[in-house]
């Protein structure tokens, strides 16, 4: 799959980069995108509508000249040659004075356009969680494909330049030669060459070298930066060999034991989720159970004001927030934790849950974004306290 050269992928470094930007106004735009014609003709239309939302928000504080200046980076990013021809499932664009970045998303986000003192990063945090995201490495004797998926879909990724796409990329033209020895017979001094180790042995040696190179490069350029699980899709006989050479702790023991080229991407996605779903449900249950136990011991809260105070005091160990819920408020005092309700189109106001999650991360806490049916509270927030 071709990707857009003007966009960057999502990883943990990107999130830290977004959290470090402090100069306002911070413009955050999220939109689902279509990959194929004619549906992708909707992409620029949808973008223009979201730009109007940003403009409306900026109008409450800035002049028209200032607004044009703040919106110009988004226009420049998307006006590049063929920008809308290489979109994935979603797009996010972030811009503030001196900073702008377009981000390619492998899943479809909820459409939104927010102007605030900081970037709206909750969808990025949700995207980065390993709870229901995973990679699938489809490999055979000749080449590989890498996919990123969740419970809903599987999308092929364009391979990093340092990940060998084929055995030739990994080994070059130097395939393993037969091992041979030279022996003399009958005292004549005539030498005869005899090969030891047939074709199968050569194939096994090359496969081992190839699989090792793939395992190391995928771990370095995909697993480490994202922290999400990896599934292997390959013929049954390749699983044992790949696991032997693998040192990536994120590779799951279970995998898809079938020739990946013999099934559709939808079938592969369904088979992958059958493996991942128990892992996903287990993590959610453990997290919710931990919160409920903490709350019973007086170390858990779902009260927004209490959680805000605990956040500014650095007492939150783990914060659970609701994925698509928007609370138009802001923490106005980082000493007292005072919360003030404001309109979401106020260019200083972001979603309170987003602000809380960013504060938790800055204070060394862990954040998990959950769907509404997974949340153990009705307020949109639940915090496990350190003390």
């Amino acid at each position: 799959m071709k990707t857009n050269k003007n966009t960057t992928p999502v990883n943990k470094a990107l999130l830290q980069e977004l959290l470090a930007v402090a100069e306002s106004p911070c413009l955050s735009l999220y939109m689902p995108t279509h990959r194929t014609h004619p549906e992708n003709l909707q992409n620029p239309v949808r973008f223009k509508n979201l730009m109007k939302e940003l403009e409306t928000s900026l109008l409450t504080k800035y002049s028209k000249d200032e607004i044009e200046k703040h919106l110009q980076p988004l226009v420049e990013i998307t006006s590049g040659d063929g920008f809308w021809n290489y979109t994935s499932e979603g797009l996010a664009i972030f811009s503030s004075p001196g900073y702008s970045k377009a981000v390619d998303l492998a899943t479809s986000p909820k459409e939104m356009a927010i102007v605030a003192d900081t970037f709206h990063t909750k969808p990025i945090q949700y995207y980065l969680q390993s709870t229901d995201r995973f990679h699938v490495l489809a490999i055979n004797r000749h080449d590989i494909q890498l996919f990123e998926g969740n419970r809903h879909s599987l999308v092929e990724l364009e391979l990093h330049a340092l990940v060998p796409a084929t055995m030739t990329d990994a080994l070059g033209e130097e395939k393993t030669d037969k091992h041979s020895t030279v022996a003399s017979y009958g005292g004549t001094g005539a030498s005869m060459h005899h090969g030891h180790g047939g074709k199968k042995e050569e194939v096994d040696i090359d496969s081992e070298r190839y699989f090792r190179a793939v395992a190391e490069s995928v771990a370095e350029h995909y697993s480490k930066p994202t922290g999400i699980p990896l599934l292997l899709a390959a013929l049954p006989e390749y699983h044992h060999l790949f696991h032997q050479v693998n040192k990536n702790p994120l590779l799951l023991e279970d995998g898809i034991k079938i020739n990946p080229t013999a099934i559709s991407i939808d079938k592969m996605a369904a088979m992958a989720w059958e493996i991942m779903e128990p892992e996903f449900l287990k993590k959610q249950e453990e997290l919710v159970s931990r919160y409920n136990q903490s709350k019973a011991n007086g170390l858990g809260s779902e009260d927004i004001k209490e959680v805000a105070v605990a956040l500014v005091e650095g007492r939150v160990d783990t914060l659970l927030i609701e994925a698509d819920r928007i609370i138009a408020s802001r923490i106005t005092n980082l000493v007292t934790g005072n919360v003030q309700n404001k309109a979401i189109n106020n260019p200083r106001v972001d979603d309170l849950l987003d602000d809380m999650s960013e504060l938790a991360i800055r204070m060394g806490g862990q954040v998990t974004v959950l769907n509404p049916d997974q949340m153990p509270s009705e307020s949109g927030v639940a915090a496990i306290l350190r003390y």
Side-chain angles (χ1 to χ4, degrees):
M1 182 188 79
K2 289 185 177 180
T3 56
N4 198 319
K5 294 180 180 179
N6 294 314
T7 62
T8 187
V10 179
N11 53 41
K12 293 177 181 177
L14 171 69
L15 177 60
Q16 294 302 320
E17 188 178 298
L18 294 174
L19 294 178
V21 174
E23 192 169 355
S24 62
C26 292
L27 283 59
S28 305
L29 183 152
Y30 291 87
M31 58 179 280
T33 51
H34 295 281
R35 299 168 56 193
T36 57
H37 187 82
E39 290 81 5
N40 63 1
L41 295 175
Q42 300 174 32
N43 294 339
V45 176
R46 181 171 280 174
F47 171 73
K48 287 179 181 178
N49 291 335
L50 290 169
M51 287 286 280
K52 288 178 182 177
E53 291 185 29
L54 293 174
E55 183 178 2
T56 299
S57 181
L58 288 165
L59 272 170
T60 63
K61 184 177 180 181
Y62 299 97
S63 68
K64 288 189 176 181
D65 287 345
E66 288 175 315
I67 291 171
E68 185 177 346
K69 177 183 175 183
H70 292 313
L71 293 177
Q72 187 59 29
L74 288 84
V75 174
E76 291 176 357
I77 286 174
T78 57
S79 61
D81 185 36
F83 179 88
W84 296 110
N85 294 334
Y86 301 109
T87 55
S88 185
E89 299 298 310
L91 175 71
I93 304 180
F94 304 95
S95 181
S96 71
Y99 179 93
S100 61
K101 186 156 289 188
V103 180
D104 188 55
L105 302 174
T107 56
S108 182
K110 183 179 179 180
E111 194 173 272
M112 68 178 76
I114 294 177
V115 181
D117 286 343
T118 58
F119 288 128
H120 184 83
T121 63
K122 187 167 65 173
I124 299 295
Q125 294 176 48
Y126 187 39
Y127 186 92
L128 282 171
Q129 289 175 182
S130 60
T131 49
D132 71 342
R133 285 176 62 231
F134 53 86
H135 286 140
V136 176
L137 173 62
I139 190 168
N140 56 43
R141 272 274 303 159
H142 307 290
D143 54 30
I144 71 168
Q145 290 174 287
L146 189 66
F147 302 86
E148 182 173 311
N150 60 15
R151 69 175 81 185
H152 305 297
S153 64
L154 198 62
V155 176
E156 186 177 355
L157 302 176
E158 185 171 11
L159 290 174
H160 189 284
L162 296 179
V163 175
T166 66
M167 180 180 282
T168 300
D169 288 341
L171 308 183
E173 299 298 334
E174 298 178 8
K175 303 294 194 299
T176 302
D177 293 327
K178 289 183 179 179
H179 302 290
S180 61
T181 58
V182 180
S184 297
Y185 290 88
T188 63
S191 297
M192 296 185 66
H193 294 261
H194 291 266
H196 296 277
K199 182 68 176 175
K200 184 179 185 303
E201 183 179 337
E202 297 167 39
V203 168
D204 288 345
I205 293 172
D206 287 338
S207 294
E208 181 178 331
R209 293 169 61 208
Y210 171 45
F211 286 0
R212 179 177 285 107
V214 170
E216 290 175 354
S217 60
V218 168
E220 183 66 28
H221 299 291
Y222 291 94
S223 298
K224 285 182 181 178
T226 64
I228 68 175
L230 175 67
L231 291 172
L232 181 66
L235 287 167
E237 56 264 35
Y238 292 153
H239 279 254
H240 177 69
L241 178 58
F242 194 90
H243 278 272
Q244 273 190 320
V245 301
N246 173 70
K247 295 181 180 179
N248 183 352
L250 292 171
L251 177 66
L252 298 185
E253 193 66 34
D254 200 3
I256 302 170
K257 295 180 173 67
I258 193 171
N259 181 357
T261 63
I263 57 175
S264 69
I265 190 170
D266 289 338
K267 177 63 175 177
M268 191 186 300
M271 295 176 75
W273 185 242
E274 283 181 14
I275 297 170
M276 288 302 304
E277 187 175 23
E279 297 281 331
F280 166 72
L281 293 175
K282 180 182 177 183
K283 288 179 181 178
Q284 300 306 322
E285 289 170 2
E286 289 175 349
L287 191 56
V288 171
S289 175
R290 184 176 160 225
Y291 167 74
N292 289 330
Q293 185 61 51
S294 297
K295 186 178 178 183
N297 294 334
L299 289 175
S301 177
E302 59 191 66
D303 182 270
I304 287 177
K305 291 185 177 179
E306 286 182 5
V307 173
V309 172
L311 281 167
V312 300
E313 293 176 349
R315 293 191 289 116
V316 174
D317 175 82
T318 302
L319 183 70
L320 314 181
I321 56 173
E322 193 172 317
D324 292 329
R325 189 164 183 170
I326 300 290
I327 300 177
S329 300
R330 63 192 300 258
I331 300 175
T332 58
N333 192 314
L334 293 180
V335 175
T336 65
N338 185 51
V339 174
Q340 188 177 49
N341 296 332
K342 293 282 186 180
I344 195 64
N345 65 353
N346 185 314
R348 296 193 64 197
V349 175
D350 190 2
D351 166 32
L352 178 64
L353 301 181
D354 189 78
D355 289 345
M356 284 182 158
S357 67
E358 293 175 3
L359 184 54
I361 292 171
R362 289 191 178 100
M363 296 297 235
Q366 299 295 317
V367 177
T368 298
V369 185
L370 299 176
N371 290 323
D373 60 335
Q374 300 161 349
M375 282 294 295
S377 71
E378 298 294 327
S379 65
V381 64
I384 300 173
L385 307 179
R386 294 188 175 105
Y387 57 92

